[in-house]
Amino acid sequence: MRQRTIAEPYKIKMVEPIKMTTRAEREGLMKEAGFNTFLLKSEDVYIDLLTDSGTSAMSDRQWAGMFLGDEAYAGSRNFYHLEAAVREVYGFRHTVPTHQGRAAEHITSQLRVKPGQFVPMNMYFTTTREHAERAGGVFFDCIIDEAHDPQSKHPFKGNVDLAKLQKLVDEKGAESIAYLSIAPCVNMAGGQPLSMANLREVAAWAKKYRLSIIFDATRALENAYFIQQREKGYAAKSVREILREMMSYGEGCTMSSKKDNLVNIGGFLATNNEDFFVKAKEMVVVFEGLHTYGGLAGRDMEAVARGIEEMVDDAYIASRVRQVEYLGSRLLEAGVPIVEPIGGHAVFLDAKRFLPDMPQDHFPSQALAAALYVDSGVRSMERGIVSAGRDPKTGEHRRPKLELVRLTIPRRVYTNLHMDVVAESCQALLEERKKIRGLDMVYEPESLRFFQARFEAR
Ligand code: PLI
């Protein structure tokens, strides 16, 4: 039987105009922005695939909730709605709101990492690693090798390699590990999921050594969808049930609500560990705000609470991930090299295969992202040597195997015709790839350099 189309389970009630600039204008704008797409003005962008973070379209129910904000300094009713939603959907008893994910990472790292301890992660994420390192921790990559190979079609490239963890424990002892920081739908690997079977094994292994799993639950829902689609025994389960089971293997999580939770701002730290909760509550007051608002307005917490309830709709998440798959399939048909399997939140161009003659020191992904903007006004993001930063010990560039450009799809924002425009632009660039020039970095911030670094054409 032919596969039937699944349309979005919503219709559009409000629109925001976007405008196309001319190629000559975009050439000037890109140069002015130092060939860094983060430094472009949003109004100069036609289709904005910079990130899926905070770029979702909220529903009418979420917007209605914004008018029910209880803007009290303490004990806002919206906090209790948020706490109840997290308890119900993620299964964690205690919630500490934060203004976004990295604030929850900051608190977690400061409380749970002792200087010199390892923090194993299934691949790094920029802010997560940064906070672990600022607390004196040492990042340890425990993802399976396939994750570093953009052409491996492993269905669960986000899986943890237990042998790598075992080796670390054998050599350094379990007490050298702060906790396991496990991210579903691994962002830097291309939005790749881990399997429930892997998670179960990791949890059993961690228990043996009395180590905790603290999830980076940012895109856990998208991971739940992949488990439903790909893993034996889960086809008949709802994403809601799958997400709840996933989270049951962790002691808690940090969360950027700006992704799965369908809001423009917000995050939280959630846990079943009383002691961690009490300490986190004390710390959030210093850095974010009282523990019942954590840097958010009451209305923002209401939007998060409603977003959490809305996201666990099987029809919604299917249409969300299928749109990403639609763009990826169009690119594959056109022969554009991308990371496979296609991820949950983004399609990643493989800059090493796109620009095979450009050395990594000429920042191929940065150059490709700039060229894409000049071609069509589509904004993407570098995820290669610039994002990887420098080794804190040697000061050398970290040289990731993956040299990628991320085309990140905001939730409920663009139609598949927008995806067609993006695909056509990537195809046109591929045909003219010889014309894409490498870059020199002329300004480099000390940390998280990809956000503000500036470049010039070579
Ligand atoms: O941007 P924050 O502070 O709300 O969240 C930080 C963060 C943590 N973990 C993961 C996996 C992320 O992807 C993440 C933020 N990601 C951004 C901004 C992105 O564009 O992917």
Side-chain angles (χ1 to χ4, degrees):
M1 207 169 65
R2 239 190 9 211
Q3 199 184 37
R4 301 286 290 260
T5 301
I6 298 183
E8 290 80 1
Y10 50 84
K11 55 186 178 176
I12 297 163
K13 179 141 60 180
M14 194 187 278
V15 295
E16 176 185 344
I18 49 177
K19 75 167 201 289
M20 186 60 144
T21 44
T22 64
R23 187 181 177 95
E25 282 170 335
R26 289 191 298 277
E27 273 169 1
L29 291 164
M30 195 72 258
K31 207 166 159 193
E32 241 171 71
F35 293 87
N36 185 342
T37 52
F38 278 101
L39 302 179
L40 287 166
K41 285 187 185 152
S42 150
E43 65 183 9
D44 295 328
V45 173
Y46 179 45
I47 299 173
D48 202 349
L49 306 188
L50 183 72
T51 178
D52 64 330
S53 183
T55 52
S56 296
M58 292 210 297
S59 67
D60 50 359
R61 209 175 153 272
Q62 283 176 297
W63 278 110
M66 297 284 279
F67 283 93
L68 301 175
D70 170 3
E71 307 306 345
Y73 190 89
S76 158
R77 91 168 77 85
N78 313 110
F79 164 72
Y80 296 102
H81 295 167
L82 170 62
E83 186 187 50
V86 173
R87 225 172 250 170
E88 173 62 30
V89 173
Y90 289 90
F92 295 120
R93 239 180 352 267
H94 303 298
T95 297
V96 177
T98 57
H99 80 280
Q100 59 185 80
R102 67 198 72 182
E105 292 169 356
H106 171 223
I107 294 170
T108 302
S109 303
Q110 290 297 323
L111 291 176
R112 300 294 292 267
V113 181
K114 290 195 205 107
Q117 274 189 317
F118 292 100
V119 188
M121 300 179 194
N122 49 341
M123 200 171 269
Y124 82 99
F125 182 70
T126 52
T127 59
T128 324
R129 183 179 65 192
E130 177 77 24
H131 282 297
E133 287 176 348
R134 278 173 183 255
V138 180
F139 162 73
F140 179 85
D141 190 3
C142 65
I143 203 163
I144 57 171
D145 288 341
E146 285 88 339
H148 293 281
D149 174 3
Q151 283 168 281
S152 158
K153 299 219 170 61
H154 193 297
F156 291 105
K157 277 166 106 172
N159 278 356
V160 172
D161 188 336
L162 267 182
K164 288 182 186 167
L165 284 179
Q166 188 63 53
K167 191 158 173 274
L168 182 65
V169 164
D170 292 345
E171 285 172 9
K172 309 280 183 182
E175 60 293 343
S176 75
I177 297 177
Y179 55 86
L180 307 182
S181 172
I182 303 299
C185 260
V186 182
N187 193 355
M188 304 301 278
Q192 304 294 333
L194 44 71
S195 70
M196 196 74 90
N198 182 253
L199 202 45
R200 217 175 281 127
E201 269 177 24
V202 174
W205 180 89
K207 197 167 170 204
K208 199 162 79 182
Y209 292 103
R210 302 205 180 162
L211 291 168
S212 298
I213 293 177
I214 300 181
F215 286 110
D216 173 352
T218 295
R219 296 182 183 86
L221 176 73
E222 287 164 5
N223 199 120
Y225 174 74
F226 282 121
I227 289 176
Q228 184 190 57
Q229 298 301 306
R230 295 180 186 169
E231 193 162 352
K232 208 168 154 228
Y234 287 92
K237 294 211 158 123
S238 64
V239 286
R240 190 184 188 109
E241 290 170 291
I242 298 170
L243 177 62
R244 189 68 190 256
E245 183 187 340
M246 287 169 66
M247 292 296 111
S248 74
Y249 298 116
E251 176 202 298
C253 72
T254 57
M255 179 68 192
S256 170
S257 294
K258 299 169 74 173
K259 284 80 166 179
D260 272 356
N261 295 167
L262 297 164
V263 291
N264 306 123
I265 193 71
F268 56 83
L269 186 166
T271 182
N272 286 328
N273 176 336
E274 292 292 329
D275 182 49
F276 181 33
F277 171 57
V278 170
K279 293 203 174 95
K281 261 198 310 187
E282 285 174 19
M283 191 173 259
V284 80
V285 179
V286 181
F287 290 102
E288 294 281 286
L290 196 73
H291 60 280
T292 54
Y293 77 86
L296 293 172
R299 55 182 173 271
D300 296 326
M301 291 189 283
E302 188 61 33
V304 178
R306 291 178 182 220
I308 290 173
E309 286 154 17
E310 262 174 37
M311 72 175 189
V312 281
D313 167 11
D314 289 286
Y316 153 68
I317 192 64
S319 78
R320 182 317 182 250
V321 178
R322 277 181 174 224
Q323 183 172 50
V324 180
E325 191 189 322
Y326 175 79
L327 173 61
S329 308
R330 287 235 31 200
L331 291 171
L332 284 174
E333 278 163 26
V336 177
I338 62 168
V339 174
E340 288 184 81
I342 297 160
H345 67 303
V347 178
F348 290 71
L349 302 178
D350 183 354
K352 276 194 179 164
R353 280 187 290 151
F354 207 113
L355 301 171
D357 301 327
M358 193 180 290
Q360 200 168 19
D361 281 4
H362 297 181
F363 310 108
S365 306
Q366 192 79 28
L368 184 53
L372 181 63
Y373 172 74
V374 171
D375 183 72
S376 58
V378 171
R379 172 153 72 170
S380 58
M381 181 200 292
E382 193 265 8
R383 292 274 87 151
I385 188 168
V386 183
S387 293
R390 289 182 187 271
D391 186 298
K393 272 204 193 122
T394 64
E396 290 297 313
H397 287 306
R398 286 167 159 138
R399 293 175 183 282
K401 283 201 188 127
L402 298 179
E403 194 57 55
L404 310 174
V405 172
R406 190 179 73 172
L407 303 165
T408 338
I409 319 296
R411 295 166 183 80
R412 306 193 291 207
V413 171
Y414 292 113
T415 67
N416 282 1
L417 279 179
H418 291 110
M419 299 301 116
D420 288 343
V421 170
V422 177
E424 285 165 20
S425 178
C426 293
Q427 189 177 0
L429 274 184
L430 186 68
E431 284 157 13
E432 306 234 305
R433 62 174 139 179
K434 292 262 178 320
K435 291 193 191 150
I436 300 173
R437 288 161 67 189
L439 302 171
D440 284 323
M441 196 174 348
V442 293
Y443 166 66
E444 179 179 0
E446 236 171 73
S447 51
L448 300 178
R449 63 184 183 180
F450 59 95
F451 283 130
Q452 288 148 353
R454 298 185 69 86
F455 301 81
E456 279 173 6
R458 291 179 68 87

